[in-house]
Amino acid sequence: MLEEIRIYAMERMYRMLLEGQSWGNLKICSSIRLKISKLKKQQRFWGVIPSGVQKYEVRIGNDGYAVDLNNNTCGCRSWQVSGIPCVYAVAVISYLNRNAEDYVAPWFHTTMFLTCYNHTINPLNGSSMWPEAPYMKPLPPQKRRLPGRPTLKRKKDQSEMESKGKRRHTISKAGSVNRCTICRERGHNRSTCPTRPADVASTSRPKNKKPKKCKVEPVQVDPVQADPVDPVQVPAPNVEPIQADPVDPVQVPHVEPVDDPAPHVEPVQVDDPHPNVDVPAQPVATRKRIRKYSERITKIGLRRKVLKKEGSTGHNPMVLE
């Protein structure tokens, strides 16, 4: 691949050098001349208004751009970036009856083009004449399994692909030469062979004609009448029923339950884990609130019992009188 790149670059540099020499006395490159000629056709729609020394304003409707010929600048900044006068600068240059090629950047001149391609790449001998290196030859990369399911079908040729909406299941015979099976000559087959005897029938048939199908007439067959067959009567066998012997029930002895008294377990006394900690007594207000709440619950319970005996359900027992 590197050799192909070197050969391509060597040939291109020589070809571009010949092209630059064919321009003759042209000041700028031919491709830049074509761009400027197109801009000269577009600049006629713009109006130029002089503002000062080498400063102008180019307008069309509400759009306007400032052009400075001394600094080679324009309000659109295209002239500064590319080095080629934009359509607004060309309008100003045409307004002054000057040549737009004089305002092109110097790196687009013919002399600069010839200087760039003046150098050449020297030719080299083939790889068979290269000196052998004492190092080991590089090995190909290891074969690795690609991600995804491996392909089993082969890659088909372009002639095997679909063409004109029809699927091609066979390889095309375009370019192949026919050989006759009678005279063994090329250029024709046995159906068009001039030396074919008259008694040899041609195996080929027209493509558009289909072989005729033979019509088969149905044959009428008389139905066969089968003789009636008398059914055979087989007498049923006399089978006596089998009587099973009576089985005595198994007598299970009665077992009286045994009272197993539960063992007596003495309570375990647990020592206080914090014997030296004094538990604070409840305040007086808390004790009064608890006593009042317990009395209220007692009254509610008594009230419910009375109402339940009387059978009244409409009165709310939670409300005390």
Side-chain angles (χ1 to χ4, degrees), residues 31-58:
S31 59
I32 308 302
R33 288 172 60 88
L34 293 176
K35 291 183 180 180
I36 292 177
S37 62
K38 293 180 181 179
L39 294 176
K40 287 181 180 180
K41 295 179 181 180
Q42 299 175 5
Q43 60 84 24
R44 64 180 184 271
F45 302 105
W46 294 85
V48 180
I49 303 173
S51 175
V53 180
Q54 300 294 324
K55 292 183 180 180
Y56 302 89
E57 182 178 349
V58 183

Side-chain angles (χ1 to χ4, degrees), residues 28 32-33 35-40 42-43 67-69 72-74 76-94 99-109:
I28 61 175
I32 308 302
R33 288 172 60 88
K35 291 183 180 180
I36 292 177
S37 62
K38 293 180 181 179
L39 294 176
K40 287 181 180 180
Q42 299 175 5
Q43 60 84 24
V67 179
D68 188 357
L69 295 181
N72 293 347
T73 58
C74 179
C76 67
R77 298 185 61 189
S78 176
W79 194 1
Q80 297 91 300
V81 173
S82 63
I84 303 172
C86 57
V87 63
Y88 319 113
V90 173
V92 174
I93 294 170
S94 300
N99 190 6
E101 297 179 1
D102 298 338
Y103 293 89
V104 178
W107 52 79
F108 292 115
H109 291 182

Side-chain angles (χ1 to χ4, degrees), residues 303-312:
R303 183 66 176 173
R304 284 181 177 177
K305 290 181 180 180
V306 172
L307 293 175
K308 189 174 182 180
K309 290 180 180 180
E310 295 178 357
S312 175

Side-chain angles (χ1 to χ4, degrees), residues 54-263:
Q54 300 294 324
K55 292 183 180 180
Y56 302 89
E57 182 178 349
V58 183
R59 298 190 62 85
I60 180 172
N62 296 329
D63 298 336
Y65 299 92
V67 179
D68 188 357
L69 295 181
N70 289 332
N71 299 325
N72 293 347
T73 58
C74 179
C76 67
R77 298 185 61 189
S78 176
W79 194 1
Q80 297 91 300
V81 173
S82 63
I84 303 172
C86 57
V87 63
Y88 319 113
V90 173
V92 174
I93 294 170
S94 300
Y95 175 77
L96 299 175
N97 294 328
R98 297 180 183 178
N99 190 6
E101 297 179 1
D102 298 338
Y103 293 89
V104 178
W107 52 79
F108 292 115
H109 291 182
T110 305
T111 55
M112 189 66 68
F113 185 87
L114 295 175
T115 304
C116 179
Y117 290 101
N118 191 24
H119 304 281
T120 58
I121 298 177
N122 297 327
L124 297 176
N125 297 325
S127 58
S128 60
M129 301 182 65
W130 293 353
E132 295 185 1
Y135 307 105
M136 183 179 64
K137 294 182 179 180
L139 300 176
Q142 295 181 357
K143 187 177 180 180
R144 63 184 183 88
R145 183 180 179 276
L146 298 178
R149 181 175 294 180
T151 57
L152 301 178
K153 296 183 179 180
R154 64 179 180 85
K155 295 183 179 180
K156 296 184 179 181
D157 189 66
Q158 187 66 24
S159 60
E160 299 177 298
M161 298 297 179
E162 298 181 6
S163 61
K164 298 182 181 180
K166 297 181 180 179
R167 296 184 61 88
R168 303 183 64 92
H169 297 280
T170 57
I171 300 175
S172 176
K173 294 184 178 181
S176 60
V177 181
N178 297 333
R179 181 186 291 273
C180 180
T181 57
I182 298 176
C183 63
R184 311 304 296 177
E185 295 292 337
R186 295 186 177 183
H188 63 275
N189 52 15
R190 63 178 298 167
S191 62
T192 59
C193 181
T195 61
R196 181 173 64 90
D199 56 345
V200 178
S202 176
T203 57
S204 62
R205 59 182 178 84
K207 296 183 179 179
N208 298 332
K209 293 185 179 180
K210 297 182 179 179
K212 296 182 179 180
K213 296 182 179 180
C214 299
K215 295 183 179 180
V216 180
E217 297 181 356
V219 180
Q220 297 180 0
V221 181
D222 296 336
V224 179
Q225 297 181 0
D227 298 334
V229 180
D230 296 336
V232 179
Q233 297 181 0
V234 180
N238 296 327
V239 180
E240 297 180 358
I242 300 173
Q243 296 180 0
D245 298 335
V247 180
D248 296 336
V250 180
Q251 296 181 1
V252 180
H254 178 69
V255 180
E256 296 182 357
V258 179
D259 295 336
D260 188 7

